[in-house]
Amino acid sequence: MFSLKMRASSNGNHVSGAERLVKEEQIEEISSELIKRAMNHENGVPDFINLKVEKVTEKINYIEHLKIKTINSNSKETSREFARNILKKELEKYFLKHGKDIEQIDVLIDSAFKIIDAGNMRGAAILDLEGNRLEKSSDRGIRVRNIDTAEELSKKILKDESLTERTVDAIAIATKVVNCDIIAELCTSDNFSYTTGYVATKDGYFRILNLKDSGQVGGRVFFAESSDIDELYDKLENMPVIVY
């Protein structure tokens, strides 16, 4: 298997990114698809595209995908309340486990929303239970690498007309993340017109319509129990995972 990583930017600002794990005979075809994806991104034509092809030498981990649940909402305010409630339910377990004041959960979630609304990060922010930023670079964030969605699952997802290629990408990230010592994930798309976001926990992948306004930037935040950032980085970046 080979890891393909595409990153595209314009004037130093992130435009598009994607990850695939493919067989040797698929490299040329999938590389072309990734470049076309970068060149046709709604956020603009990039002036820089980096495509990295690297042989995977570690054992591939196959992980069953999180159950996809869709929450319909007509307003950002209502959607964010849904997201907040899902996050609070999960975070409360860890606050109680560590003897922390559960009244501070809302403060932590507020911090996460501020991060995703600020946008323009290439990767995700990581927050511990105290609200501290753990990523090594607050501008770059951390990218979840060496991931893909099994072809059968991709086809199954795309048969549902309400789901898209973004869902295929996101379910791979979300599933790997919650299996790498991350409590929960909050995400909105960096595509300006795509307003559906999600919350991921071990209970599922919750697609939430209208989690941001059209034209608004997006972002991604991981909530972490552990402060061992080196171990987190190693798992999120280097552990090869195909989600089925």
Side-chain angles (χ1 to χ4, degrees), residues 88-188:
K88 284 178 75 171
K89 178 183 176 183
E90 192 67 20
L91 288 167
E92 187 174 286
K93 302 173 189 175
Y94 293 86
F95 269 67
L96 293 173
K97 174 182 174 181
H98 293 282
K100 297 185 180 297
D101 181 6
I102 60 174
E103 298 298 323
Q104 294 302 307
I105 294 177
D106 277 315
V107 176
L108 181 61
I109 296 172
D110 287 342
S111 296
F113 275 118
K114 287 178 182 176
I115 291 169
I116 65 171
D117 288 343
N120 201 33
M121 286 182 64
R122 288 171 55 194
I126 307 175
L127 292 177
D128 67 13
L129 299 181
E130 301 288 344
N132 299 310
R133 296 280 295 269
L134 300 182
E135 66 272 19
K136 295 177 180 179
S137 167
S138 59
D139 293 327
R140 181 176 177 274
I142 180 170
R143 293 204 64 96
V144 181
R145 296 175 174 168
N146 290 302
I147 53 170
D148 207 344
T149 307
E151 185 176 355
E152 185 177 346
L153 176 58
S154 296
K155 290 179 179 178
K156 179 181 177 182
I157 289 172
L158 294 174
K159 280 183 180 179
D160 186 331
E161 293 183 356
S162 69
L163 305 180
T164 69
E165 288 283 357
R166 296 184 185 93
T167 314
V168 174
D169 293 343
I171 196 67
I173 294 172
T175 300
K176 178 176 179 178
V177 162
V178 300
N179 281 278
C180 288
D181 302 323
I182 296 297
I183 299 168
E185 176 188 0
L186 171 66
C187 177
T188 53

